Amino acid sequence: MVSYQVIEPSPLHQLQLNYTSSLYETYIPLLKKQSKQEATFQASRYCLTHPPKYLEDQIAYLEFLYMNDFFKEMDKLLQNHNLDSRLVYLYRLLLNRLNSKPSIGQLQSLQKEKFLHPSLHCLHLFTIIYYYYDLKEYTGLDKYLEQIDEAISAVNEPLTLYYMRIRYHELLFQHYWKTNNPLLAKKYAYKITNTELSPKKICRVYHNLALCNLYTDYPTAMEQALKAFEAAEKYSLNRWAAIIKNHTIPFIAAYHLQTEEITTPDPVETAHLAIADKEFNKARTILKNMETWTPFQECYMGAASKNIHLLENAHYRFIHELGDQFFALLPKHYLKRL
């Protein structure tokens, strides 16, 4: 399915729509004539050269810029004094969390806010869940599921609806992955891959899919990791490329004992590879030099030293420090290998 067809609402969703933003009317023809990358770039220019007057247009503009990673352009648009103050408030929160982790107090303050407009209400709920996830509380979505479903069904503009649905699928993937329901997580991940994503989102979803397949399927996990790496290189996402090459690929390879021709400059994953190769002294020497251990590093040290206490403590820390029931299985797997 070509780009514009993915974005166009289905006949069922058309029933809830009663407004079409100028950006949607501009973006769809661009997608029909040009590459997705060029069309998206030109649409981002349109957002800055044609200031949105009505609230529905303002939401569509900002949602488009945010979901396509045009954060500088988004910041510039938010400086427009004619934008609705409620909208500026919510999107500023979304921008701020890219650089700093929210506090529990900020989450509690956000929960007290009320937004009656359907799209703003939807955005408000998503922001609350993002704050929960930033705080490593991956069950935070549970009590909002019904509210989000109702809120999305009330969004009345096609471009905004499209991106809100992607947001929802992203949250569901993260929720089911971190609460150790990988089958459900992968269901939503594949839905995301069948949408029009920004380069960074393409890279991230394949990267997370690779990890989601860690325990069950080495070829698929590595295939997804390589897709993520190829996307990172294609779009010059150098930080992501380094993470995948130096951390994710060696991590998957070491777990599955497939270490041939795998190297990394990262000392922690070098220790992990050494454990896979039964070079336990090498692994212990590397890990002893760490001032403090993350749950991953404590897990590796437990595996390298055959220390049941360290592995059990790493399991506890994954759950209680990171809120991560999926990776909490890692030390359990290494316990079975002792």
Side-chain angles (χ1 to χ4, degrees), residues 55-56 59 86 114-123 156:
L55 179 57
E56 303 298 347
I59 297 170
R86 298 167 298 172
K114 301 292 182 184
F115 297 88
L116 298 178
H117 184 281
S119 296
L120 293 182
H121 177 52
C122 198
L123 189 63
N156 67 336

Side-chain angles (χ1 to χ4, degrees), residues 143-314:
K143 61 183 176 181
Y144 290 98
L145 280 171
E146 187 174 337
Q147 291 183 59
I148 291 176
D149 274 334
E150 292 177 358
I152 291 176
S153 68
V155 173
N156 67 336
E157 195 282 325
L159 199 58
T160 303
L161 175 62
Y162 173 71
Y163 288 122
M164 292 294 180
R165 287 175 61 79
I166 292 178
R167 282 182 185 267
Y168 192 29
H169 291 157
E170 288 176 334
L171 284 180
L172 287 167
F173 167 73
Q174 188 80 0
H175 169 79
Y176 286 122
W177 177 31
K178 293 301 184 179
T179 55
N180 194 32
N181 287 286
L183 289 177
L184 278 173
K186 285 183 275 189
K187 169 187 171 182
Y188 288 102
Y190 288 122
K191 284 188 176 185
I192 298 167
T193 61
N194 289 324
T195 59
E196 282 301 314
L197 300 172
S198 70
K200 192 177 293 183
K201 281 185 169 56
I202 292 170
C203 182
R204 186 169 63 218
V205 72
Y206 280 117
H207 172 266
N208 291 346
L209 259 176
L211 294 174
C212 201
N213 282 290
L214 174 69
Y215 302 128
T216 55
D217 192 338
Y218 173 73
T220 300
M222 195 57 77
E223 178 188 354
Q224 304 288 9
L226 291 172
K227 281 185 179 179
F229 181 69
E230 288 167 6
E233 287 209 311
K234 178 180 178 180
Y235 296 109
S236 300
L237 301 171
N238 297 329
R239 176 177 169 273
W240 271 102
I243 289 171
I244 296 161
K245 181 180 180 181
N246 298 330
H247 299 268
T248 307
I249 289 175
F251 171 72
I252 294 169
Y255 175 79
H256 286 279
L257 311 180
Q258 303 288 327
T259 61
E260 188 175 355
E261 298 183 2
I262 300 289
T263 60
T264 174
D266 177 66
V268 176
E269 287 309 317
T270 297
H272 195 194
L273 290 167
I275 293 166
D277 291 334
K278 300 188 183 303
E279 297 176 349
F280 299 120
N281 286 334
K282 177 181 177 181
R284 287 195 297 269
T285 299
I286 293 170
L287 294 165
K288 281 179 182 176
N289 290 326
M290 308 285 173
E291 289 187 12
T292 58
W293 290 330
T294 67
F296 281 100
Q297 292 161 11
E298 186 167 12
C299 173
Y300 296 167
M301 182 56 114
S305 57
K306 302 186 185 301
N307 187 313
I308 293 173
H309 171 74
L310 290 179
L311 288 167
E312 289 179 341
N313 196 57

